[in-house]
Amino acid sequence: MGAQLNLYLSEEDSDSERLDKLTRFLRGQLLELDVEDVTPVRTGPPPPGARAVDVAMIGELAVSLGQSATALQAVLGTVFQWMGRRGDAKRMVRIELDGDVLELSQASSDEQVRLLKLFADRHAPAGDGQ
């Protein structure tokens, strides 16, 4: 089994319904990639009055990368595209893998690409490029 990548999504001034829609959209995009699974993260009991479908913590996804050598780069590229669809809204994503954390929010597109590449390079399998 491969590594697990955790994604924490937010969008400024968005309510839980909007964030749920954004999370579901990104999850659908990620499921089209060569990954084992993408699941909403469940943390504790649902808040009072929440429906059963609301148990998943909105804005949190766990991505099982599997054994694909390119899965991480594909996931990071999809996250970059998701960030670019924000329009005027300020989006933030926190990416965690093997204790390494990358947060993207106010960075320009060029800076996001640079940071995502550095993150992917740090997690490339040993021996790549040699």
Side-chain angles (χ1 to χ4, degrees):
M1 184 173 172
Q4 179 173 301
L5 179 78
N6 293 311
L7 300 173
Y8 305 89
L9 315 172
S10 66
E11 184 179 71
E12 188 175 78
D13 298 328
S14 289
D15 60 16
S16 60
E17 186 175 316
R18 166 93 173 135
L19 190 54
D20 179 55
K21 182 178 179 181
L22 293 171
T23 303
R24 288 174 189 267
F25 174 81
L26 180 58
R27 180 175 184 262
Q29 296 291 302
L30 293 172
L31 284 169
E32 293 179 13
L33 304 176
D34 187 16
V35 298
E36 284 184 2
D37 199 12
V38 181
T39 56
V41 175
R42 299 181 187 282
T43 54
R51 296 172 294 163
V53 294
D54 294 332
V55 173
M57 185 65 174
I58 297 171
E60 295 184 35
L61 296 171
V63 182
S64 299
L65 296 175
Q67 300 301 320
S68 170
T70 59
L72 176 59
Q73 286 132 348
V75 168
L76 295 177
T78 301
V79 168
F80 173 74
Q81 292 173 353
W82 179 84
M83 291 284 292
R85 291 186 180 103
R86 65 182 173 225
D88 290 336
K90 294 179 184 173
R91 288 189 181 171
M92 191 280 290
V93 64
R94 178 183 170 103
I95 303 166
E96 293 182 10
L97 178 63
D98 296 333
D100 193 10
V101 176
L102 173 64
E103 288 190 17
L104 297 174
S105 58
Q106 302 293 331
S108 69
S109 291
D110 290 342
E111 186 70 5
Q112 287 178 19
V113 168
R114 187 181 73 75
L115 292 170
L116 289 167
K117 182 178 181 339
L118 287 171
F119 188 86
D121 288 349
R122 281 197 305 264
H123 296 282
D128 278 6
Q130 292 183 356

